[in-house]
Structures are given as C-alpha cells and as structure tokens.
Amino acid sequence: MTARIGVVTFPGSLDDRDTQRAIRLAGAEPVALWHKDKDLKQVDAVVLCGGFSYGDYLRAGAIARFSPVMESLIEQAKAGLPVLGICNGFQILTEAHLLPGAMLGNDHLHFICRDQKLRVENAETSWTSDYRAGQEIHIPLKNMDGRYVADQYTLDKLEAEGRVAFRYLDFNPNGSLNDIAGITNEAGNVVGLMPHPEHAVEPLIGTGRTDGLPFFTSILKKLVNA
Amino acid sequence: MARVVVDVMLKPEILDPQGQAVQRALPRLGFEGISDVRQGKRFELEVDGPVDDAALARIRDLAESFLANTVIEDFTVRVDEVAEAAK
C-alpha cells in the first residue's frame, strides 16, 4: 500500500502533470483533483501546483481560493491534512489564510526564471523531513508575484517559531521580506514556497540535480509510517 | 440601478514598485514636484435595486473578503453620487 497524493488542476494550472510525475517518482500514487469538484477522493495529502489559476485576475490565487475544491481543502487542512503549495499554490494558501502574509509582484516588476539556491530552515514539517536543517539546495524559481510580505508582528512570530521553512541564499530574487522563500503553518502540515521542487526530481531536467525530490519522499514516509 | 465604487489601495507600509516606476517617469514627461505615486484599484459595481444600508453592508463584506486582501490592502466603499445624479 502506498500513499495517495492529490494534485488540484485549476483553469490556468501549469505544473499539475510535472507534480504528478514527481509524486510517482517518489513512489506514491498521484490522484488528479478538479477545481469544480468538492470531492478530495479521500487522498492522504494534496499539492496545489504552479501556474496562473483563473488568470491570476484580481490577485494571484484570489479567485482560486473560492473554488469548490478549496472549500473541502481548507476544512481538511485545518483538521491536519498535509497540503503543499508551490508557487501559485503558495499564493492560494495565503489568500485562503491557511498561511499568514501575502504575495505581491516582484519588486523589480519582471518575470523571473532561474536556478535558485535555498537554505532549508525547518526540516520538521510533513514535507521537509527528508532534508537536514541548514541544508543548501538548488531549485528552479519562475514567477511574477513572488514577493512575500507580512506585517512585522507576523514576521517576528514566524522567525521565533521556526516557521520560515526556506530562505533564499546569495540573492533575493523578488524583494521577499527576510529573504523568505517558503513558510509552514503552526502544525507543520501546510507548507508553501515559491520555487518549484517538482522541476528538480530528475538529473536530466531542471537544475540537473534531484534537490526537489525529498519534498515528495518526506510526505510519503510520513503517510506510510503513520 | 446605482453604482457603488470600491477603491482598493496597498497599505502605506507596503512597497509599491509600480507606483514608484510611474513616479520616476514623471520628470521625463515634464511633470516636476510629484514626490510620490501609489497605484491602486477601483471597482465599479452596478447594483440592481436600491443601495440601502443592507446593500452597502453586503458590498463591504464582499470588499473585505474578496476585492481586497486586508493583509496588504485597505479599501473604501462609497455610492457614486455623480452617476446617481445623472439619472
């Protein structure tokens, strides 16, 4: 028996297939979920993938947040369902208030696409346990709205509670406060980040390394051992 | 029908690079003396029926939960008096 991990497709999602592929490579079973369908098909975890859901109209993730699938997902995430938001998925999680803060346009106003060095700050979440705290990894980054912002109180709280999960190293690509690339909720089941681990799971593509694969092996281990 | 206008602006402490880019272009256009520009969004809602207190309260809820993200944005709601008077 293996774990079943759902991947939601919204109109405008781009990386659903890559995410399903990464899940399969890690040894879990990907399950396609549809934005109009409230049914999460009893999956053990969900990934909200990258793209431009609903055209990113209004604000990135703002319309997706009110889709039928999110109604079930918000409720179950609060009850402990592991959820990973990548790029647009991270934006949706902040819009849904499952993660604090908000995402805004890159400070330089350009789309950015590069291999990004990150430091894993928290290796105790459901999605990061196969990393070591302090480990440096290379993951592709590609976005328009990657600037993480939160008020000072929230930033201090995130830092004090070790909830900054990933930080940009060497170069801050979008003006994110405190160089934040990804965060976790208090329980550690909901994690969001801007860079794309699903594009770094095979040596042939992405950064030429497999630095993103531990996201998917972490959750698999957690679910199978549970 | 009546029009209700919702204005949404980034909170003052949030960096607005678009507004800054506009501000920096002004001297090239011969506009001097503008020290800051902030860019926001304006929503014009055409409302069926009367815009009474209940209708405005509903629109305020809509603005707070959807049109604005109050983590980063402030909003105001007002009835468009000019559009009203023209009818």
Side-chain angles (χ1 to χ4, degrees), chain A residues 77-95:
Chain A
K78 284 179 179 167
L81 179 76
V83 179
L84 173 67
I86 301 168
C87 193
N88 197 220
F90 185 18
Q91 294 158 344
I92 294 169
L93 290 176
T94 59
E95 282 287 341

Side-chain angles (χ1 to χ4, degrees), chain A:
Chain A
M1 194 206 111
T2 185
R4 298 169 69 249
I5 303 179
V7 179
V8 179
T9 300
F10 296 97
S13 291
L14 295 176
D15 302 320
D16 39 351
R17 293 302 179 99
D18 278 31
T19 305
Q20 290 175 17
R21 190 179 159 71
I23 289 167
R24 204 174 295 119
L25 273 169
E29 181 193 339
V31 177
L33 300 176
W34 183 237
H35 69 110
K36 276 190 177 167
D37 199 347
K38 276 192 194 176
D39 183 9
L40 297 185
K41 300 184 183 171
Q42 295 183 305
V43 292
D44 305 304
V46 174
V47 181
L48 297 175
C49 66
F52 298 86
S53 57
Y54 298 88
D56 272 359
Y57 297 135
L58 187 59
R59 294 176 304 276
I63 298 178
R65 174 247 179 281
F66 288 100
S67 60
V69 73
M70 285 301 293
E71 239 178 85
S72 319
L73 188 139
I74 290 169
E75 193 186 305
Q76 294 194 28
K78 284 179 179 167
L81 179 76
V83 179
L84 173 67
I86 301 168
C87 193
N88 197 220
F90 185 18
Q91 294 158 344
I92 294 169
L93 290 176
T94 59
E95 282 287 341
H97 306 299
L98 286 173
L99 291 174
M103 310 302 304
L104 280 166
N106 298 337
D107 59 351
H108 45 76
L109 301 176
H110 297 285
F111 189 88
I112 191 163
C113 182
R114 69 192 303 272
D115 288 351
Q116 177 68 45
K117 198 167 159 189
L118 304 174
R119 186 170 56 231
V120 180
E121 301 281 19
N122 183 334
E124 286 167 16
T125 77
S126 300
W127 299 90
T128 59
S129 59
D130 264 358
Y131 292 106
R132 279 174 291 103
Q135 190 175 343
E136 295 182 5
I137 59 175
H138 290 77
I139 304 268
L141 174 78
K142 46 162 197 175
N143 65 70
M144 188 73 215
D145 295 321
R147 176 166 49 117
Y148 181 78
V149 297
D151 59 43
Q152 197 58 46
Y153 172 79
T154 304
L155 285 174
D156 291 346
K157 194 166 147 65
L158 287 173
E159 295 285 359
E161 294 175 359
R163 289 168 54 194
V164 175
F166 299 92
R167 223 184 286 272
Y168 298 116
L169 273 191
D170 299 342
F171 172 72
N172 184 331
N174 44 35
S176 287
L177 297 176
N178 294 25
D179 299 329
I180 287 173
I183 57 174
T184 174
N185 69 346
E186 227 171 316
N189 64 310
V190 180
V191 172
L193 81 166
M194 283 315 292
H196 288 260
E198 81 283 12
H199 294 327
V201 292
E202 288 172 292
L204 188 63
I205 53 164
T207 50
R209 305 158 60 130
T210 58
D211 289 6
L213 197 56
F215 275 85
F216 305 99
T217 54
S218 297
I219 188 64
L220 179 60
K221 273 186 200 162
K222 183 184 167 63
L223 294 171
V224 170
N225 293 336

Side-chain angles (χ1 to χ4, degrees), chain A residues 58-59 62-63 65-66 94-95 97 101-107 109 147 149, chain B residues 10 13-18 21 41 43 65-73:
Chain A
L58 187 59
R59 294 176 304 276
I63 298 178
R65 174 247 179 281
F66 288 100
T94 59
E95 282 287 341
H97 306 299
M103 310 302 304
L104 280 166
N106 298 337
D107 59 351
L109 301 176
R147 176 166 49 117
V149 297
Chain B
L10 280 175
E13 65 272 23
I14 304 279
L15 176 73
D16 176 15
Q18 286 192 99
K41 293 177 194 149
F43 299 88
S65 61
F66 185 49
L67 299 181
N69 177 349
T70 53
V71 174
I72 44 170
E73 294 167 325

Side-chain angles (χ1 to χ4, degrees), chain B residues 20-58:
Chain B
Q20 286 180 339
V22 172
Q23 192 268 334
R24 282 197 298 270
L26 294 180
R28 283 208 303 278
L29 304 172
F31 277 91
E32 304 291 343
I34 309 256
S35 61
D36 192 25
V37 174
R38 311 261 313 159
Q39 182 177 321
K41 293 177 194 149
R42 171 185 166 119
F43 299 88
E44 297 182 344
L45 310 178
E46 304 298 337
V47 182
D48 297 335
V51 181
D52 49 20
D53 287 350
L56 275 176
R58 282 184 59 223

